[in-house]
Amino acid sequence: VAQSVLLWVDQSASMRFASDTTLGSKSDTARVLALALGILLIRAGERVGLLGVELPPRRGEGQILRLADAISHTSEEDFGTPETRAMLPHARALFVSDFMGEIDDVEASLLKAADRGVSGVLLQVLDPTEESFPFQGRTVFQSMRASVQHETRKASDLREKYIERLSERRDRLRDMCHVTGWQFSSHLTSSPHQAALLWLYRAMEQR
């Protein structure tokens, strides 16, 4: 029996960050993985669409073109919040983001999904510099739209605390997935996409 699969790909400004032009942005990686997964699922007979009212789940090759167009849009928000409108009961879902915004909003979305019997996957996409924090000396950190900014004279002093906070955030995402019956994984834009896609496909097959 064909299942409905709903995708949410973070289109916020935060996802447009890339530390190296040879890697591409987090948004590029998120869109490629989500679209590739959608193609595989549609060709396996599933109905695939986007969360929200823009593109309900359908079968067929035409839906692939509609998906590609819809996830190419961008948002002017600094950070994305997972979409929860039109969340079909007992469907499967994929949230792809850096999850650098308000984590309480992510938790609220996951709880709403669990209440409707929706199972799925959270995929965190990060740039390598966001994982390793290689900064030294005087550095100005700011969000992509410059609404958040912090300047330091010795960036290396922040590294240990930053790595700790990133680990805490990832642990909370993982714990939220455990509580709601979802699965969690993270992916760097510098890592091969094929491995992440294979993991996603297998994870979405599980109920």
Side-chain angles (χ1 to χ4, degrees):
V1 178
Q3 301 290 323
S4 291
V5 180
L6 299 166
L7 310 176
W8 175 73
V9 182
D10 190 347
Q11 299 172 330
S12 67
S14 173
M15 294 294 288
R16 298 199 283 273
F17 174 70
S19 61
D20 190 323
T21 56
T22 63
L23 294 178
S25 67
K26 293 181 288 184
S27 182
D28 291 339
T29 294
R31 288 168 176 164
V32 166
L33 288 173
L35 183 59
L37 178 67
I39 291 171
L40 291 175
L41 292 171
I42 285 173
R43 290 180 176 170
E46 309 284 35
R47 297 185 295 265
V48 180
L50 299 182
L51 278 160
V53 298
E54 182 179 0
L55 188 62
R58 297 188 181 97
R59 298 190 189 95
E61 294 292 314
Q63 184 72 345
I64 294 173
L65 297 177
R66 289 186 285 268
L67 282 170
D69 178 64
I71 65 175
S72 68
H73 299 167
T74 59
S75 166
E76 292 309 309
E77 297 294 326
D78 253 332
F79 303 100
T81 299
E83 176 68 80
T84 57
R85 293 175 301 162
M87 188 174 281
L88 302 176
H90 308 295
R92 287 175 290 169
L94 169 67
F95 292 171
V96 188
S97 174
D98 56 11
F99 300 110
M100 290 294 194
E102 290 292 335
I103 198 166
D104 288 345
D105 293 340
V106 181
E107 183 174 32
S109 297
L110 283 175
L111 290 174
K112 181 173 181 178
D115 286 343
R116 297 183 68 82
V118 176
S119 61
V121 173
L122 234 62
L123 180 66
Q124 183 183 45
V125 175
L126 296 177
D127 185 273
T129 61
E130 294 174 321
E131 181 88 7
S132 62
F133 200 84
F135 308 103
Q136 298 183 21
R138 181 181 179 275
T139 308
V140 178
F141 300 99
Q142 65 179 27
S143 61
M144 293 297 288
R145 300 188 68 247
S147 63
V148 181
Q149 182 170 304
H150 176 75
E151 181 176 353
T152 178
R153 293 183 180 276
K154 198 171 182 181
S156 57
D157 286 352
L158 301 177
R159 185 177 187 276
E160 184 176 344
K161 187 63 176 178
Y162 171 84
I163 296 297
E164 179 183 337
R165 291 288 297 275
L166 180 63
S167 179
E168 289 173 354
R169 175 167 289 248
R170 189 170 285 160
D171 287 343
R172 184 172 173 189
L173 291 169
R174 190 177 288 108
D175 289 344
M176 286 190 297
C177 286
H178 178 73
V179 169
T180 55
W182 281 47
Q183 297 185 68
F184 173 80
S185 185
S186 58
H187 177 71
L188 296 179
T189 57
S190 57
S191 299
H193 294 352
Q194 294 92 331
L197 178 59
L198 179 60
W199 183 88
L200 280 174
Y201 188 75
R202 289 174 173 170
M204 294 297 288
E205 287 183 320
Q206 299 179 23
R207 296 293 289 174

